[in-house]
Amino acid sequence: MLGSMTSNVTLNELGEFLKKRRSELSPRTVGLPETGGPRRVAGLRREEVAQLASISTDYYTRLEQGRMQASAPVLDTIARVLHLDDDERGYLFQLAGKTTTRTRRHGRQKVQPQLQRVLDDLTATPAIVQGRRGDILAWNAPAAALVTDFSRIPERHRNYPRLIFTDPAMRNLYADWEGSARIAVAQVRMEAAKYPEDPRLIELVGELSTRDKQFARWWGDHKVAARTVGTKTLNHPVVGELVLDWDTLTANTDPDQHLTVWTAAPGSPTHERLRILASWAADQNMSPSSSLR
């Protein structure tokens, strides 16, 4: 019974994802002629997607309605037709593969010892370790100085997406707060495909959807993103503007743990400001997570 419920939820999510993606495409985008007449729905019609994917309209309709599973080749073709990027394609396949996956229960995550040692050695470079759901498992003093003093946040609420939406200081810190918040939502959506029955993830999404209308709206967009690399501009209250490259490394011993590091090119103004920030953090006795064990 539980397996059937999980299958239905996941297939419904897959259908909603497909509907959202096709609504964002125009016939011109996929090489179909414009009819010129009014269209009852935004984007492509189901029959147009089916035509481009060389499958029957009935087959595709049942897929969107969550009434059937699709084979990997069909999913691959649909991903190409809908112009899905790598993250979106991976998300589509995760959803399709979850229909027969048994429920997994996870205990409390602890930072991997080798990742903790890396954090301890990074004395001038901000870095954190995130686990499932974006939970913050560990950090170093420069990261506490850069973002916030994580030690003052109750462990249950020590979650990066939650901080972005509930801590007013984060809206001032990120020059493009909306862009960063959208990425955070997309990353949580990717996590939901991997662990659709994680009670803490369900709780997180429910809380943020209730507290923040923007989160609820962006969650409904079904955008997905993996933790990879990027560049962000921060307006830090102590050292001013920081243009930081961020990179994410995944632990082989636990693929659900990710080390995120913020860096800047040597000789750049941001690189010098990071050095100043590290010195300021030492003066302020900012606490790395290793001192709390």
Side-chain angles (χ1 to χ4, degrees), residues 60-158:
Y60 182 77
T61 298
R62 285 185 288 145
L63 188 61
E64 272 201 2
Q65 292 175 343
R67 295 193 288 126
M68 69 170 298
Q69 302 177 41
S71 66
V74 170
L75 289 173
D76 196 49
T77 301
I78 292 174
R80 175 177 52 79
V81 168
L82 295 180
H83 293 198
L84 302 187
D85 61 26
D86 289 343
D87 288 345
E88 291 169 332
R89 183 182 180 279
Y91 180 68
L92 177 66
F93 273 76
Q94 283 183 344
L95 288 175
K98 285 294 180 179
T99 53
T100 57
T101 299
R102 62 186 175 85
T103 303
R104 297 176 61 187
R105 295 188 178 276
H106 302 281
R108 175 176 172 269
Q109 276 185 297
K110 294 184 178 180
V111 62
Q112 293 291 303
Q114 56 270 47
L115 292 184
Q116 184 65 67
R117 290 195 294 270
V118 172
L119 285 178
D120 293 342
D121 287 342
L122 293 174
T123 57
T125 301
I128 63 173
V129 175
Q130 290 179 267
R132 293 185 295 273
R133 304 170 292 270
D135 290 346
I136 299 164
L137 305 180
W139 62 92
N140 60 11
L146 177 69
V147 182
T148 189
D149 187 351
F150 298 110
S151 66
R152 297 184 179 181
I153 301 171
E155 183 178 355
R156 185 171 181 81
H157 293 162
R158 210 177 283 156

Side-chain angles (χ1 to χ4, degrees), residues 159 161-162 165-166 171 185 188-189 192 200-221:
N159 173 277
R162 189 180 189 279
F165 281 94
T166 62
R171 295 177 184 261
V185 174
V188 173
R189 172 67 76 174
R200 288 192 59 188
L201 181 58
I202 295 171
E203 178 185 347
L204 174 68
V205 172
E207 176 193 2
L208 295 182
S209 297
T210 302
R211 294 182 60 162
D212 195 288
K213 293 181 179 179
Q214 288 173 298
F215 180 93
R217 184 169 71 252
W218 297 334
W219 183 258
D221 287 339

Side-chain angles (χ1 to χ4, degrees), residues 172-184:
N172 297 324
L173 179 65
Y174 283 99
D176 179 17
W177 177 86
E178 180 174 325
S180 297
R182 283 177 176 269
I183 290 175

Side-chain angles (χ1 to χ4, degrees), residues 219-234:
W219 183 258
D221 287 339
H222 294 263
K223 297 287 187 180
V224 292
R227 295 188 180 95
T228 51
V229 297
T231 301
K232 292 188 184 298
T233 300
L234 305 184

